[in-house]
Amino acid sequence: MSTEIQEMPEQGEIILATVTKVMDHGAYVTLDEYDDIQGFLHISEIAPGWIRSVSRFVKDGEKKVLLVKKVKADDIDLSLKQVSKDQKKQKLKEVKKYEKGKTLLENLQEKINLTDEEIEKLEDKMYTQFDSVYDGFMEIARNGISVITDLKLTKKITTAIEEICSKIKLPSVEIRGIMEITNNKPNGVEIIKKTLLDIIKKDSTMDITYLGAPKYRISIISENFKDAEKLLKPIIEEIEIEIEKKKGLFKFTREDSKKTREN
């Protein structure tokens, strides 16, 4: 008779856990990604300084992003205070992607009646090319089914994946700013108008709106903030150069960025 070995987390790993029992000296949790095996969060690892009440920081049923401090046979010590904001943010992002990927696979399984084994094999193949199933589906939605040609999937599966991806609304963000532009020449208004129209023709993701002299709002829509910033910077620099070349004045002030859509 064979005994299945329980997979365990590694020391230093960032994990997601659910609080199951809060006590005076700490809290017991179950590790969501490791078949709910149990770990312990000591009061000294909950927050810096002296803690009067553990329940002020952790509550039964609450999910927490934790650091694995020590792993032994039946002893997993965890820390909350040693998890940085960036680590927490990244972990929650990974979990969110995993859940979305799981939903996409469930939709695919239902669509063409795949077995659990077939879905598991497909998931393994997706992980050979992408960081997550969700990333894979998003890449297909952006660039077409050809991105997974090397996975050698059946026509039935690729057709179904393509249909699902065609309905995915890609996430997008918008960054905006106010441009104050003046030109005191007799034809100053025409100079400004031509400069801005020439810029707009170069990029369909950009929009410039007249707010009333001397203010104009410029907005850029892209898949993420990093790409949007890369697009905006050279555009602002080009407008400023053109305006000042024609003896005008230019000032730019950023507004709050926002997500316009998220899948």
Side-chain angles (χ1 to χ4, degrees), residues 75-88:
D75 183 18
I76 300 176
D77 290 342
L78 304 159
S79 176
L80 174 60
K81 73 178 185 181
Q82 293 186 46
V83 177
S84 69
K85 287 183 180 180
D86 285 344
Q87 287 174 319
K88 178 180 178 181

Side-chain angles (χ1 to χ4, degrees), residues 41-244:
L41 177 62
H42 192 267
I43 187 171
S44 64
E45 289 296 330
I46 290 178
W50 181 67
I51 297 175
R52 177 179 295 177
S53 172
V54 173
S55 60
R56 180 185 167 196
F57 297 90
V58 292
K59 295 176 174 58
D60 286 346
E62 199 172 36
K63 290 191 181 292
K64 290 290 184 182
V65 176
L66 305 172
L67 169 75
V68 179
K69 279 194 66 186
K70 184 175 69 175
V71 180
K72 290 186 178 179
D74 295 312
D75 183 18
I76 300 176
D77 290 342
L78 304 159
S79 176
L80 174 60
K81 73 178 185 181
Q82 293 186 46
V83 177
S84 69
K85 287 183 180 180
D86 285 344
Q87 287 174 319
K88 178 180 178 181
K89 184 178 179 181
Q90 181 61 31
K91 186 63 187 181
L92 293 175
K93 184 178 179 182
E94 288 173 6
V95 171
K96 189 176 181 182
K97 278 188 176 185
Y98 173 78
E99 293 298 333
K100 285 183 176 181
K102 188 177 177 182
T103 299
L104 287 166
L105 288 178
E106 287 172 353
N107 291 343
L108 178 66
Q109 183 174 23
E110 185 177 342
K111 188 178 183 68
I112 53 175
N113 297 316
L114 295 176
T115 64
D116 290 343
E117 185 180 356
E118 287 173 318
I119 283 293
E120 190 175 335
K121 285 181 179 179
L122 171 60
E123 186 175 13
D124 289 342
K125 284 187 176 183
M126 293 290 279
Y127 273 106
T128 65
Q129 187 169 334
F130 306 100
D131 290 335
S132 70
V133 171
Y134 173 75
D135 286 336
F137 273 75
M138 295 301 286
E139 189 67 20
I140 295 165
R142 290 188 189 99
N143 300 309
I145 198 67
S146 62
V147 300
I148 57 170
T149 301
D150 291 345
L151 299 186
K152 298 187 178 354
L153 303 177
T154 65
K155 180 68 176 175
K156 176 183 175 183
I157 291 176
T158 55
T159 299
I161 289 176
E162 193 169 23
E163 288 177 5
I164 290 172
C165 290
S166 69
K167 297 175 184 177
I168 292 176
K169 292 181 179 179
L170 294 172
S172 60
V173 300
E174 180 185 21
I175 59 174
R176 310 190 309 177
I178 300 295
M179 300 181 294
E180 294 182 46
I181 308 173
T182 57
N183 190 306
N184 293 325
K185 288 185 177 182
N187 63 337
V189 173
E190 290 303 316
I191 290 173
I192 294 170
K193 185 177 179 181
K194 183 179 185 308
T195 300
L196 297 181
L197 285 174
D198 287 346
I199 292 292
I200 289 173
K201 290 175 185 177
K202 295 180 181 180
D203 194 336
S204 61
T205 66
M206 175 183 57
D207 184 54
I208 297 177
T209 307
Y210 177 62
L211 301 178
K215 295 183 178 182
Y216 301 79
R217 171 177 284 122
I218 182 170
S219 66
I220 292 278
I221 293 177
S222 188
E223 287 183 14
N224 56 66
F225 288 114
K226 186 177 180 180
D227 288 347
E229 292 288 356
K230 283 184 179 178
L231 289 170
L232 180 63
K233 186 179 178 181
I235 290 171
I236 293 300
E237 289 175 351
E238 186 175 349
I239 294 173
E240 183 174 13
I241 289 170
E242 288 300 314
I243 291 297
E244 292 180 350

